[in-house]
Coordinates of all heavy atoms in Angstrom, one line a residue:
I213 N 89.5 10.9 -81.8 CA 90.1 11.6 -83.0 C 91.2 12.6 -82.5 O 92.2 12.8 -83.2 CB 89.0 12.2 -83.9 CG1 89.7 12.8 -85.1 CG2 88.2 13.3 -83.2 CD1 90.1 11.8 -86.2
M225 N 93.3 5.7 -83.9 CA 94.2 6.7 -84.4 C 95.7 6.4 -84.2 O 96.6 7.1 -84.6 CB 93.9 8.1 -83.9 CG 92.6 8.6 -84.3 SD 92.4 8.7 -86.1 CE 93.6 10.0 -86.4
V329 N 101.6 5.3 -85.8 CA 100.8 6.6 -85.8 C 99.9 6.6 -87.1 O 100.5 6.4 -88.2 CB 101.7 7.8 -85.9 CG1 100.9 9.1 -86.0 CG2 102.7 7.8 -84.7
V330 N 98.6 6.7 -86.9 CA 97.7 6.7 -88.1 C 97.7 8.1 -88.7 O 97.4 9.1 -88.0 CB 96.3 6.2 -87.7 CG1 95.3 6.4 -88.8 CG2 96.3 4.7 -87.3
L331 N 97.9 8.2 -90.0 CA 97.7 9.4 -90.7 C 96.3 9.3 -91.4 O 96.1 8.4 -92.2 CB 98.8 9.6 -91.7 CG 100.3 9.6 -91.2 CD1 101.2 10.1 -92.3 CD2 100.4 10.4 -90.0
A332 N 95.5 10.3 -91.1 CA 94.1 10.3 -91.6 C 93.9 11.5 -92.5 O 94.8 12.4 -92.5 CB 93.1 10.3 -90.4
S333 N 92.8 11.5 -93.2 CA 92.4 12.8 -93.9 C 91.5 13.6 -93.0 O 90.5 13.0 -92.4 CB 91.7 12.4 -95.2 OG 92.7 12.2 -96.2
K334 N 91.8 14.9 -92.9 CA 91.0 15.8 -92.0 C 89.5 15.7 -92.3 O 89.1 15.7 -93.5 CB 91.5 17.2 -92.3 CG 91.5 18.0 -91.0 CD 92.1 19.4 -91.3 CE 92.1 20.1 -89.9 NZ 93.3 20.8 -89.7
G335 N 88.7 15.5 -91.3 CA 87.3 15.3 -91.4 C 86.9 13.9 -90.9 O 85.8 13.8 -90.4
Y336 N 87.8 12.9 -91.1 CA 87.5 11.6 -90.5 C 87.3 11.7 -89.0 O 87.9 12.5 -88.4 CB 88.7 10.7 -90.8 CG 88.7 9.4 -90.1 CD1 87.9 8.3 -90.6 CD2 89.4 9.1 -88.9 CE1 87.8 7.1 -90.0 CE2 89.3 7.9 -88.3 CZ 88.5 6.9 -88.8 OH 88.5 5.7 -88.2
Y340 N 85.5 13.5 -95.5 CA 86.9 13.9 -95.7 C 87.2 13.9 -97.2 O 86.5 13.2 -98.0 CB 87.9 13.0 -95.0 CG 87.5 11.5 -95.2 CD1 87.9 10.9 -96.4 CD2 86.7 10.8 -94.3 CE1 87.5 9.6 -96.6 CE2 86.4 9.5 -94.5 CZ 86.8 8.9 -95.7 OH 86.4 7.6 -95.9
P341 N 88.2 14.7 -97.7 CA 88.5 14.7 -99.1 C 89.2 13.4 -99.5 O 89.8 12.7 -98.7 CB 89.5 15.9 -99.3 CG 90.0 16.2 -97.9 CD 89.0 15.7 -96.9
K342 N 89.1 13.1 -100.8 CA 89.8 11.9 -101.4 C 90.6 12.3 -102.6 O 90.5 13.5 -103.0 CB 88.7 10.9 -101.8 CG 88.0 10.2 -100.7 CD 87.1 9.2 -101.2 CE 86.2 8.6 -100.1 NZ 85.2 7.7 -100.6
E344 N 93.7 12.8 -103.0 CA 94.9 13.8 -102.9 C 96.2 13.0 -103.0 O 96.3 11.9 -102.5 CB 94.8 14.5 -101.6 CG 93.5 15.4 -101.5 CD 93.5 16.3 -100.2 OE1 94.2 16.0 -99.2 OE2 92.8 17.3 -100.3
E345 N 97.1 13.6 -103.7 CA 98.4 12.9 -103.9 C 99.2 12.9 -102.6 O 99.4 13.9 -102.0 CB 99.2 13.5 -105.1 CG 100.4 12.7 -105.3 CD 101.3 13.2 -106.5 OE1 100.9 14.2 -107.1 OE2 102.3 12.6 -106.7
I346 N 99.8 11.7 -102.3 CA 100.6 11.6 -101.1 C 102.1 11.7 -101.5 O 102.5 10.9 -102.4 CB 100.4 10.3 -100.3 CG1 98.9 10.1 -100.1 CG2 101.2 10.2 -99.1 CD1 98.5 8.7 -99.5
L347 N 102.8 12.6 -100.9 CA 104.2 12.7 -101.2 C 105.1 12.2 -100.0 O 104.6 12.2 -98.9 CB 104.6 14.2 -101.5 CG 103.8 14.8 -102.7 CD1 104.1 16.3 -102.8 CD2 104.1 14.1 -104.0
G348 N 106.3 11.8 -100.3 CA 107.2 11.4 -99.3 C 107.2 10.0 -98.9 O 107.7 9.6 -97.8
L349 N 106.6 9.2 -99.7 CA 106.5 7.7 -99.4 C 107.8 7.0 -99.8 O 107.9 5.8 -99.4 CB 105.3 7.1 -100.1 CG 103.9 7.5 -99.5 CD1 102.8 7.0 -100.3 CD2 103.8 7.0 -98.0
V358 N 105.8 1.9 -93.4 CA 104.6 2.7 -93.7 C 103.5 1.7 -94.2 O 103.6 1.3 -95.4 CB 104.8 3.9 -94.6 CG1 103.5 4.6 -94.8 CG2 105.9 4.8 -94.1
T372 N 95.0 9.4 -101.8 CA 94.2 9.0 -100.7 C 92.8 8.5 -101.2 O 92.3 9.0 -102.1 CB 94.0 10.2 -99.7 OG1 93.2 11.2 -100.4 CG2 95.3 10.9 -99.3
G374 N 90.6 6.9 -98.4 CA 89.8 6.5 -97.3 C 90.1 7.5 -96.1 O 90.9 8.4 -96.3
G375 N 89.4 7.3 -95.0 CA 89.6 8.2 -93.8 C 90.9 7.9 -93.1 O 91.7 8.9 -92.9
R376 N 91.2 6.7 -92.8 CA 92.5 6.3 -92.3 C 93.4 6.0 -93.5 O 93.1 5.0 -94.2 CB 92.4 5.2 -91.3 CG 91.7 5.7 -90.0 CD 91.8 4.7 -88.9 NE 91.1 3.4 -89.1 CZ 91.2 2.3 -88.3 NH1 92.0 2.4 -87.2 NH2 90.5 1.2 -88.6
V377 N 94.5 6.7 -93.7 CA 95.2 6.6 -94.9 C 96.5 5.7 -94.8 O 96.7 4.8 -95.6 CB 95.5 8.0 -95.4 CG1 96.4 7.9 -96.7 CG2 94.2 8.8 -95.7
L378 N 97.3 6.0 -93.8 CA 98.5 5.3 -93.6 C 98.7 5.0 -92.1 O 98.2 5.7 -91.2 CB 99.7 6.2 -94.0 CG 99.7 6.7 -95.5 CD1 100.8 7.7 -95.7 CD2 100.0 5.5 -96.4
V380 N 102.0 4.7 -90.0 CA 103.5 4.8 -89.9 C 104.0 4.1 -88.6 O 103.7 4.6 -87.5 CB 103.9 6.3 -89.9 CG1 105.5 6.4 -89.8 CG2 103.4 7.0 -91.2
A394 N 108.8 7.1 -85.1 CA 107.6 7.1 -85.9 C 107.3 8.5 -86.3 O 107.0 8.8 -87.5 CB 106.4 6.5 -85.1
Y395 N 107.4 9.5 -85.4 CA 107.0 10.9 -85.8 C 108.0 11.5 -86.7 O 107.6 12.3 -87.5 CB 106.8 11.7 -84.5 CG 105.4 11.5 -83.9 CD1 105.3 10.8 -82.7 CD2 104.3 12.0 -84.5 CE1 104.0 10.6 -82.2 CE2 103.0 11.8 -84.0 CZ 102.9 11.1 -82.8 OH 101.6 10.9 -82.3
S396 N 109.3 11.1 -86.7 CA 110.2 11.7 -87.6 C 109.9 11.2 -89.0 O 110.0 12.0 -90.0 CB 111.7 11.6 -87.2 OG 112.0 10.3 -87.3
R397 N 109.4 10.0 -89.1 CA 109.0 9.5 -90.5 C 107.7 10.2 -90.9 O 107.5 10.5 -92.1 CB 108.8 8.0 -90.4 CG 108.4 7.3 -91.7 CD 109.7 7.2 -92.6 NE 109.4 6.6 -93.9 CZ 108.9 7.3 -94.9 NH1 108.7 8.6 -94.8 NH2 108.7 6.7 -96.0
V398 N 106.8 10.4 -89.9 CA 105.5 11.0 -90.2 C 105.7 12.4 -90.9 O 105.0 12.8 -91.8 CB 104.7 11.2 -88.9 CG1 103.5 12.2 -89.0 CG2 104.1 9.8 -88.4
E399 N 106.7 13.1 -90.4 CA 106.9 14.5 -90.9 C 107.4 14.5 -92.3 O 107.2 15.6 -93.0 CB 108.0 15.2 -90.0 CG 107.4 15.8 -88.7 CD 108.4 15.9 -87.6 OE1 109.6 16.1 -87.9 OE2 107.9 15.9 -86.4
K400 N 107.9 13.4 -92.8 CA 108.4 13.4 -94.2 C 107.3 13.1 -95.2 O 107.5 13.1 -96.4 CB 109.5 12.4 -94.3 CG 110.7 12.8 -93.5 CD 111.8 11.8 -93.6 CE 112.9 12.1 -92.7 NZ 113.5 11.0 -92.0
I401 N 106.1 12.8 -94.7 CA 105.0 12.4 -95.6 C 104.0 13.6 -95.6 O 103.7 14.2 -94.6 CB 104.3 11.1 -95.1 CG1 105.3 10.0 -95.1 CG2 103.0 10.8 -95.9 CD1 104.8 8.7 -94.4
S402 N 103.5 13.9 -96.8 CA 102.5 15.0 -96.8 C 101.4 14.9 -97.9 O 101.6 14.2 -98.9 CB 103.3 16.3 -97.1 OG 103.9 16.3 -98.4
W403 N 100.3 15.4 -97.6 CA 99.2 15.7 -98.6 C 98.4 16.7 -98.0 O 98.4 17.0 -96.7 CB 98.4 14.4 -98.9 CG 97.5 13.8 -97.9 CD1 96.2 14.1 -97.8 CD2 97.8 12.8 -96.9 NE1 95.6 13.3 -96.8 CE2 96.6 12.6 -96.2 CE3 99.0 12.2 -96.5 CZ2 96.6 11.7 -95.1 CZ3 98.9 11.2 -95.5 CH2 97.7 11.0 -94.8
P404 N 97.5 17.4 -98.7 CA 96.9 18.6 -98.2 C 96.1 18.4 -96.9 O 96.1 19.2 -96.0 CB 96.0 19.1 -99.4 CG 96.7 18.6 -100.6 CD 97.3 17.3 -100.2
A405 N 95.3 17.3 -96.9 CA 94.4 17.1 -95.7 C 95.0 16.2 -94.6 O 94.2 15.7 -93.8 CB 93.0 16.5 -96.2
K406 N 96.3 16.0 -94.7 CA 96.9 15.1 -93.7 C 96.6 15.5 -92.2 O 96.7 16.7 -91.9 CB 98.4 15.1 -93.9 CG 99.2 14.4 -92.8 CD 100.7 14.6 -93.1 CE 101.6 14.3 -91.9 NZ 103.0 14.8 -92.1
Y407 N 96.1 14.6 -91.4 CA 95.8 14.9 -90.0 C 96.3 13.7 -89.2 O 96.1 12.5 -89.6 CB 94.3 15.1 -89.8 CG 94.0 15.1 -88.3 CD1 94.3 16.2 -87.5 CD2 93.5 13.9 -87.6 CE1 94.1 16.2 -86.1 CE2 93.3 13.9 -86.3 CZ 93.6 15.0 -85.5 OH 93.5 15.0 -84.2
Y408 N 96.9 14.0 -88.0 CA 97.3 12.9 -87.1 C 97.3 13.4 -85.7 O 97.4 14.6 -85.4 CB 98.6 12.3 -87.5 CG 99.8 13.2 -87.5 CD1 100.6 13.3 -86.4 CD2 100.0 14.1 -88.6 CE1 101.7 14.3 -86.4 CE2 101.0 15.0 -88.6 CZ 101.8 15.1 -87.5 OH 102.8 16.0 -87.5
R409 N 97.2 12.4 -84.8 CA 97.4 12.8 -83.3 C 98.8 12.9 -83.0 O 99.7 12.1 -83.5 CB 96.7 11.7 -82.5 CG 95.2 12.0 -82.2 CD 94.6 10.9 -81.4 NE 95.1 10.9 -80.0 CZ 94.5 10.3 -79.0 NH1 93.3 9.8 -79.2 NH2 95.0 10.3 -77.8
K410 N 99.1 13.9 -82.1 CA 100.6 14.1 -81.8 C 101.0 13.3 -80.5 O 102.1 13.5 -80.1 CB 100.8 15.6 -81.6 CG 100.2 16.5 -82.6 CD 101.2 16.8 -83.7 CE 100.8 17.9 -84.7 NZ 99.5 17.7 -85.3

Side-chain angles (χ1 to χ4, degrees):
I213 186 76
M225 292 302 293
V329 177
V330 169
L331 305 190
S333 276
K334 216 175 182 136
Y336 171 78
Y340 45 81
K342 289 185 187 174
E344 293 186 340
E345 185 179 359
I346 307 171
L347 301 175
L349 288 172
V358 181
T372 65
R376 291 193 292 174
V377 176
L378 301 167
V380 178
Y395 279 106
S396 67
R397 185 73 181 87
V398 163
E399 278 157 28
K400 294 178 186 140
I401 298 171
S402 64
W403 74 91
K406 172 185 161 193
Y407 168 77
Y408 59 97
R409 273 180 64 160
K410 311 270 189 306

